Amino acid sequence: MDKFDTLTGIAAPMPMINIDTDMIIPKQFLKTIKRSGLGVNLFDEMRYDDDGAEIPTFVLNQDAYRDAEILVAGDNFGCGSSREHAPWAIKDFGIRCVIAPSFADIFFNNCFKNGILPIALPQEQVDVLVKDAEKGSNARMSIDLDAQTITTSDGEVFTFDVDPFKKHCLMNGLDDIGLTMEKSAAIDSFETAASQARPWV
């Protein structure tokens, strides 16, 4: 998993409430078990018309936001089914941080396991960040996970809370497998001792 420490990039404003996981990545794209290749179908039904052509009014189809790395969204982001494909699609598109007033619990936790930083802030602060993001590609936002700060293009700073364990994992690029591998020496030692004590197993 990629490490996350600091990020300065374009923020796309998408202040719609109740963006569910089916809106993030529709069910017809859930056949794959690979984490790559889903970015092109992120927000598919809002992004493309029935003929597969881009809908020009959708934010990520606008030139200013095609390379967005931060998404500023509305309340209850990631609600609906628990599909892990949702953070996969977000990450594959290139978005590393989602900011919203609140998140669905399963989506929130899945983000950390896939190298995405979800930040929950009060609505009034999210409103400021939406307005900053609406300035387009010349207005870059900065996220500092170690300091737990967000800095707008105008220099306004907001602080955010993050679970210390999740912060450690994200800053060190550790998913569940990575955490297990940190204990590989202890696991090997246990397996060796267990084999000697119970050779019949």
Side-chain angles (χ1 to χ4, degrees), residues 128-141:
V128 172
L129 297 177
V130 167
K131 290 186 183 303
D132 191 52
E134 287 173 346
K135 296 175 184 176
S137 58
N138 291 325
R140 293 178 177 260
M141 205 173 285

Side-chain angles (χ1 to χ4, degrees), residues 12 33-34 39 98 110-113 118 140 145 161 169 175-176:
I33 57 171
K34 295 194 303 182
V98 182
N110 279 340
C111 280
F112 284 102
K113 294 178 181 181
R140 293 178 177 260
L145 178 54
D161 294 325
C169 291
D175 57 12
D176 289 346

Side-chain angles (χ1 to χ4, degrees), residues 10-12 59-68 133 135-138:
I10 298 165
V59 62
L60 296 181
N61 289 338
Q62 297 169 17
D63 288 342
Y65 301 109
R66 288 186 184 274
D67 297 320
K135 296 175 184 176
S137 58
N138 291 325

Side-chain angles (χ1 to χ4, degrees), residues 1-28:
M1 189 174 79
D2 294 336
K3 295 180 180 180
F4 189 116
D5 43 27
T6 60
L7 170 67
T8 297
I10 298 165
M14 198 174 171
M16 184 187 306
I17 65 170
N18 299 322
I19 294 177
D20 65 29
T21 52
D22 191 57
M23 295 166 70
I24 295 170
I25 186 71
K27 58 186 178 299
Q28 63 267 32

